[in-house]
Amino acid sequence: MLHVGINGFGTIGKRVADAVRVQPDMTVAGVAKRSPNFEATIADDRGYDLYAADGREPFDEADLATAGTVHDLIETSDVVVDTTPSGVGAANAPLYAEHDTPAIFQGGEDADVADVSFNARANYENAVGADTARVVSCNTTGLSRLLAPLKESYGVEKSRVTLVRRGADPGQTGRGPINDTLPDPVEIPSHHGPDVQTIFPDLDIDTMGMKVPTTQMHTHSVNVTLESEPTTEEVTSLLTDESRLFLIPKTLGIDGAGKLKEYTRDAGRPRGDVWENCIWAESITVQGRDLYLFQAIHQEADVVPENIDAVRALSERTASAEKSIRRTDEALGVGRGLVEHDGSPQRVDSHADD
């Protein structure tokens, strides 16, 4: 069993810990927190060993037992997943190197924090045996999952994406906007295009970003000029076969992120999480070599399976992307409980051979 430490137990960290817990080849070595807040209490309630990132005294005062400091967690872990806020991960990098412990960072860090920027569907093999990897941001993850099969099957001449982003996660009370629509950034391209190019260095992509007053999900308006001319039906079939892409059927009547989250909560997903890209099937349109579609990205959840695959890649326990993706998806439940655009249960066997 791989002993995986999670440094940070916030929006991403708590989800990664729960995902590690259900993997057949991993166990949670412990989680590190800076303060004994409600998330630390939840970690303790769930039976995770709790480690103090900035001293044990506050935890003692709150009557929360700790198993040690973050140094102890790193020492006992085969791999550490750093889910601390943007910038903190880079500050932690020397600590992981000091203990010679492979580390995974999140997309809020600059690309040079790690040996490789990582997306399981696009470049898993590049991270096998690396000392460090950076799981790219939620939006870059969503775009990479979409672009990888398109590049492989049809070639991509150019991509143009407008990203309409939520103003904050539900728990981020200090962010916004509250009553505005913001070009963010005003400059073009937004940071998302260059970030996608850390996965696909030769990709021609332009991105524009916006922020809107919602805590739901990001929505992408995507136009891809392909190198060949598939039909709409052929592209739809290709995307349907991807386990981490969910094509929303018109019959479900889901016209926005609010209903989409309601659907996944009713379907029994933990926290209502949506690990997959959600593509409106009826939006998929091919005109000549130009593909158009809308997709929604759950910013709190889509990077979670990617972190699990990155653990396997760094530890060299699974050299095959297909096998790791299948193992992660089956254990976590990716692809289950949702209905595909043709009315059938969502498939989970894409890119997964025996």
Side-chain angles (χ1 to χ4, degrees):
M1 298 285 281
L2 282 167
H3 291 76
V4 182
I6 295 95
N7 190 2
F9 196 75
T11 299
I12 302 300
K14 62 188 177 185
R15 288 171 164 86
V16 170
D18 290 350
V20 167
R21 186 177 225 168
V22 299
Q23 300 302 311
D25 55 342
M26 299 181 192
T27 187
V28 178
V31 302
K33 284 288 296 177
R34 299 180 68 179
S35 63
N37 65 0
F38 73 95
E39 291 162 332
T41 301
I42 291 296
D44 184 63
D45 288 345
R46 295 197 173 192
Y48 297 133
D49 286 341
L50 193 58
Y51 290 81
D54 288 330
R56 304 173 73 171
E57 292 81 5
F59 294 88
D60 294 338
E61 293 172 1
D63 200 25
L64 272 177
T66 54
T69 68
V70 68
H71 292 267
D72 299 315
L73 175 61
I74 296 168
E75 188 63 33
T76 196
S77 300
D78 297 313
V79 179
V80 171
V81 181
D82 187 300
T83 63
T84 57
S86 299
V88 179
N92 288 337
L95 188 60
Y96 307 132
E98 176 187 333
H99 289 271
D100 198 25
T101 300
I104 297 162
F105 302 93
Q106 304 308 302
E109 305 299 334
D110 292 337
D112 61 6
V113 76
D115 297 335
V116 59
S117 290
F118 179 86
N119 175 263
R121 179 62 182 84
N123 70 344
Y124 181 98
E125 291 76 11
N126 291 355
V128 173
D131 292 326
T132 54
R134 167 182 167 264
V135 172
V136 290
S137 73
C138 51
N139 284 308
T140 304
T141 291
L143 290 172
S144 298
R145 288 176 180 170
L146 174 65
L147 290 166
L150 294 175
K151 282 176 56 67
E152 292 168 6
S153 296
Y154 310 123
V156 170
E157 182 177 300
K158 186 174 182 65
S159 302
R160 307 165 189 86
V161 184
T162 300
L163 303 97
V164 182
R165 297 146 60 211
R166 57 91 182 100
D169 289 340
Q172 293 175 320
T173 55
R175 295 182 62 173
I178 294 174
N179 183 31
D180 209 344
T181 300
L182 304 178
D184 184 61
V186 175
E187 297 82 9
I188 299 170
S190 66
H191 67 271
H192 307 93
D195 200 32
V196 172
Q197 289 171 329
T198 67
I199 301 294
F200 304 106
D202 299 326
L203 181 72
D204 188 358
I205 181 170
D206 291 335
T207 54
M208 301 173 69
M210 300 176 64
K211 275 189 178 181
V212 296
T214 179
T215 62
Q216 296 288 348
M217 300 167 68
H218 304 307
T219 301
H220 298 171
S221 172
V222 180
N223 166 222
V224 180
T225 301
L226 304 169
E227 293 177 351
S228 55
E229 294 189 32
T231 65
T232 296
E233 293 73 22
E234 288 170 336
V235 172
T236 299
S237 178
L238 174 74
L239 300 183
T240 298
D241 284 340
E242 294 288 320
S243 68
R244 293 181 183 174
L245 304 182
F246 168 52
L247 274 60
I248 304 169
K250 181 178 181 179
T251 54
L252 290 182
I254 294 175
D255 57 5
K259 288 182 181 177
L260 185 54
K261 287 299 300 296
E262 185 77 4
Y263 175 48
T264 55
R265 282 192 293 266
D266 288 346
R269 288 288 182 89
R271 304 184 180 91
D273 283 350
V274 191
W275 302 296
E276 307 90 342
N277 295 30
C278 296
I279 300 170
W280 277 272
E282 60 192 298
S283 75
I284 301 173
T285 302
V286 179
Q287 297 178 346
R289 292 190 293 116
D290 278 317
L291 164 66
Y292 303 88
L293 59 81
F294 287 113
Q295 67 175 3
I297 302 297
H298 186 193
Q299 72 281 355
E300 299 172 290
D302 77 327
V303 300
V304 171
E306 307 296 329
N307 275 274
I308 301 301
D309 292 324
V311 168
R312 290 200 185 94
L314 264 61
S315 65
E316 299 184 88
R317 294 292 180 91
T318 305
S320 162
E322 292 80 4
K323 290 181 179 179
S324 181
I325 290 171
R326 179 176 62 180
R327 178 170 283 189
T328 299
D329 290 357
E330 288 181 348
L332 192 56
V334 175
R336 288 206 295 271
L338 308 181
V339 176
E340 274 289 10
H341 74 99
D342 60 0
S344 62
Q346 192 179 13
R347 282 177 266 186
V348 296
D349 58 350
S350 109
H351 305 288
D353 54 24
D354 291 326

